[in-house]
Amino acid sequence: MSKAVSPRLRKVRVLATLGPASGTPEMIEKLFRAGADAFRINMSHGDQAAKIPLIEAIRAMERRIGRPSTILADLQGPKLRVGKFAGGKVMLETGATFLLDRDATPGDAARVELPHREIFEAIRPGARLLLDDGKLVLRVVNGDDVRIETRVEIGGMLSNSKGLNVPDVVLPMAALTEKDRSDLAFALDQKVDWIALSFVQRPDDLAEARRLIHGRAALLAKIEKPSAIDRLEEIVEQCDGVMVARGDLGVELPPEQVPPLQKRIVEVSRRLGRPVVVATQMLESMITAPSPTRAEVSDVATAVYDGADAIMLSAESAAGAWPEESVAMMNSIAEAVERDPMHAERVHFTITRPDPTTADALSEAAKNIAQTVSAAAIICFTTSGSTARRIARERPSVPLLVLTPRMDTARRLGLLWGAHAVHTRDVDSFEEMVAKAKRMALRHKIAKAGDRVIVMAGVPFGTPGSTNVLHVVRIIGDELKGYSS
């Protein structure tokens, strides 16, 4: 049941990655109090057993503080790597010929094993192979089922098991590896709220994850492959949320292409009503320094001005020397941007036309009415969270208080722009709806006596997807008498 917890004043959410620097219950609570709204657990590092204390600490904090907590489990995805070298590393000279083959024998400056059959099947002459986060570049000359001949375009030192990116072709690889399947089952058993799927290339990549999740968590697609951009709208339509994963996207594409693509991904996600997270290197210098660069501050601010639902910290909060300070800085930047009078205008540069449904029409109307009558808040009753997502898509200028009888719904809304979710008992009548909306607005300090609030719900109550009521009410001073959640 609900407790009185003041909502955050800012609307963009902060997603903080947990790791060695932030893995204790004490630090997790410090990150929350510094501004973290949700927590990312990276399944690429450490074993599953090490994740259990993190999840338990987040849920314990949830019970102690009285606010639904949001946990995102980020699956590793298919990692492509070259094999090993006889001497541990080699120097690849620019202009030289270099072979990738299926032979497990340790390599040398002329060849190395590539233990990924799918690349041999899909590669074509002219395609690029990027090694070690793009530091080395190979151009394919020709290839067959067992060997790929390349020319070294950008040389350098290459050591054992370095990562490989293939930006120019769609690889016939499943988005879920065996490790991902195991991690997914573990995460679902632990009742996490969001599952992030890495290296999505096409809409079909989401189908198996969706089937395995079976409604037990929300599914987030990480956009980090050029091939995903080609089918962006289809991918966004098939998932519950999107991440602009700028790390690998910036490896596989020229860096100057990433900013416009970031804006495009945010725009498409907002238009289709999916929460969108901007991630990677946002405050990178704070891994080692107590303050960010001015360019990093501007980068974070741009994502907030664009209307992203959430902004994410990676190594800054997971492994850096200043995890609490990096969250506090992210929070401060977001609050400063949202105080800017131009912010409200800029977040509406993206036009979000309503679908021809009653729920969408009412959501758009709620935003406009709130502005016209100077309402203090929009309050919605929802079971699945769909009403809250529709309202948030409109980016209203007032807080959004979401009342839901389902804790899993309340937790998932931690990545939604402007939403303050409260787990509470459902209502059975129109009169109870109005009375409860007023009480909860006061209880959670969303509004005060004398304020108008807008209430949205669906009749019959408790029926998902039935939003058909919009009601404007004024709060009077004694609404909390006889309060019960």
Side-chain angles (χ1 to χ4, degrees), residues 9-12 14 297-298 300-302 304-305 311 328-344 346:
L9 296 179
R10 60 171 161 76
K11 295 181 171 65
V12 68
V14 173
V297 172
S298 181
V300 173
T302 295
V304 180
Y305 277 119
I311 44 183
M329 178 57 65
M330 188 81 94
N331 178 74
S332 295
I333 297 167
E335 288 184 340
V337 170
E338 292 186 1
R339 286 195 299 269
D340 179 5
M342 293 299 295
H343 172 259
R346 291 181 182 275

Side-chain angles (χ1 to χ4, degrees), residues 121-267:
E121 294 176 358
I123 207 66
R124 61 176 186 268
R128 292 169 299 151
L129 300 175
L130 311 179
L131 300 167
D132 194 9
D133 289 335
K135 296 182 180 69
L136 291 80
V137 179
L138 310 179
R139 182 76 63 172
V140 175
V141 177
N142 58 61
D144 54 32
D145 291 344
V146 296
R147 65 196 298 276
I148 300 171
E149 179 185 346
T150 74
R151 183 180 69 258
V152 180
E153 289 197 343
I154 300 178
M157 192 66 69
L158 181 63
S159 56
N160 291 341
S161 305
K162 283 298 183 181
L164 174 78
N165 291 79
V166 188
D168 299 331
V169 296
V170 177
L171 298 177
M173 301 180 70
L176 288 171
T177 65
E178 287 305 310
K179 171 178 168 53
D180 292 331
R181 291 170 179 271
S182 174
D183 288 341
L184 174 59
F186 165 80
L188 293 173
D189 286 344
Q190 295 297 313
K191 295 182 171 56
V192 306
D193 311 298
W194 285 84
I195 299 291
L197 189 62
S198 297
F199 300 110
V200 173
Q201 298 187 91
R202 40 178 134 36
D204 293 347
D205 288 342
L206 299 163
E208 184 179 11
R210 177 76 73 188
R211 178 180 62 80
L212 294 172
I213 292 170
H214 196 59
R216 290 176 287 171
L219 178 60
L220 182 143
K222 294 172 67 178
I223 308 299
E224 50 197 332
K225 300 283 291 181
S227 52
I229 300 298
D230 296 336
R231 303 184 67 181
L232 181 61
E233 294 211 12
E234 296 173 80
I235 290 171
V236 174
E237 287 176 344
Q238 294 297 317
C239 64
D240 301 305
V242 177
M243 181 183 291
V244 188
R246 304 183 303 180
D248 277 274
L249 196 60
V251 169
E252 300 206 359
L253 288 169
E256 67 272 14
Q257 291 186 20
V258 175
L261 282 177
Q262 173 179 318
K263 289 184 178 292
R264 179 182 168 196
I265 297 166
V266 170
E267 185 272 331

Side-chain angles (χ1 to χ4, degrees), residues 147-478:
R147 65 196 298 276
I148 300 171
E149 179 185 346
T150 74
R151 183 180 69 258
V152 180
E153 289 197 343
I154 300 178
M157 192 66 69
L158 181 63
S159 56
N160 291 341
S161 305
K162 283 298 183 181
L164 174 78
N165 291 79
V166 188
D168 299 331
V169 296
V170 177
L171 298 177
M173 301 180 70
L176 288 171
T177 65
E178 287 305 310
K179 171 178 168 53
D180 292 331
R181 291 170 179 271
S182 174
D183 288 341
L184 174 59
F186 165 80
L188 293 173
D189 286 344
Q190 295 297 313
K191 295 182 171 56
V192 306
D193 311 298
W194 285 84
I195 299 291
L197 189 62
S198 297
F199 300 110
V200 173
Q201 298 187 91
R202 40 178 134 36
D204 293 347
D205 288 342
L206 299 163
E208 184 179 11
R210 177 76 73 188
R211 178 180 62 80
L212 294 172
I213 292 170
H214 196 59
R216 290 176 287 171
L219 178 60
L220 182 143
K222 294 172 67 178
I223 308 299
E224 50 197 332
K225 300 283 291 181
S227 52
I229 300 298
D230 296 336
R231 303 184 67 181
L232 181 61
E233 294 211 12
E234 296 173 80
I235 290 171
V236 174
E237 287 176 344
Q238 294 297 317
C239 64
D240 301 305
V242 177
M243 181 183 291
V244 188
R246 304 183 303 180
D248 277 274
L249 196 60
V251 169
E252 300 206 359
L253 288 169
E256 67 272 14
Q257 291 186 20
V258 175
L261 282 177
Q262 173 179 318
K263 289 184 178 292
R264 179 182 168 196
I265 297 166
V266 170
E267 185 272 331
V268 170
S269 301
R270 286 190 51 194
R271 180 162 46 82
L272 295 178
R274 304 298 193 273
V276 56
V277 181
V278 176
T280 317
Q281 296 180 329
M282 301 208 82
L283 296 177
E284 185 84 353
S285 65
M286 288 194 74
I287 296 173
T288 56
S291 60
T293 67
R294 301 302 177 264
E296 289 167 339
V297 172
S298 181
D299 179 42
V300 173
T302 295
V304 180
Y305 277 119
D306 287 345
D309 290 79
I311 44 183
M312 192 182 97
L313 293 164
S314 300
E316 303 97 324
S317 60
W322 309 91
E324 183 181 1
E325 290 80 2
S326 66
V327 172
M329 178 57 65
M330 188 81 94
N331 178 74
S332 295
I333 297 167
E335 288 184 340
V337 170
E338 292 186 1
R339 286 195 299 269
D340 179 5
M342 293 299 295
H343 172 259
E345 180 179 337
R346 291 181 182 275
V347 296
H348 289 110
F349 282 177
T350 296
I351 299 173
T352 53
R353 293 186 176 88
D355 294 332
T357 65
T358 301
D360 267 27
L362 290 178
S363 297
E364 184 183 39
K367 177 197 73 173
N368 295 332
I369 293 170
Q371 187 170 355
T372 300
V373 304
S374 299
I378 298 173
I379 304 169
C380 78
F381 291 79
T382 183
T383 302
S384 67
S386 63
T387 302
R389 289 190 294 272
R390 291 173 189 274
I391 297 170
R393 185 176 76 160
E394 300 299 325
R395 298 297 190 258
S397 59
V398 298
L400 171 59
L401 177 61
V402 185
L403 307 179
T404 178
R406 293 181 51 170
M407 179 58 91
D408 60 343
T409 295
R411 288 169 171 166
R412 292 177 195 179
L413 293 175
L415 291 182
L416 187 67
W417 192 90
H420 178 71
V422 175
H423 178 223
T424 183
R425 286 192 292 266
D426 209 353
V427 294
D428 297 317
S429 68
F430 184 87
E431 292 76 14
E432 186 182 1
M433 174 196 79
V434 172
K436 184 162 196 167
K438 293 178 180 181
R439 290 197 306 268
M440 296 300 253
L442 290 170
R443 184 76 171 178
H444 291 269
K445 302 177 183 178
I446 290 284
K448 62 184 184 303
D451 286 341
R452 286 192 181 95
V453 295
I454 298 169
V455 184
M456 289 182 61
V459 177
F461 294 100
T463 304
S466 64
T467 303
N468 55 13
V469 171
L470 186 154
H471 192 57
V472 182
V473 298
R474 187 181 293 276
I475 298 175
I476 57 177
D478 60 352

Side-chain angles (χ1 to χ4, degrees), residues 88-102:
K89 58 184 178 180
V90 298
M91 174 62 72
L92 299 188
E93 300 292 343
T94 300
T97 296
F98 189 71
L99 294 179
L100 302 161
D101 57 36
R102 307 282 293 279

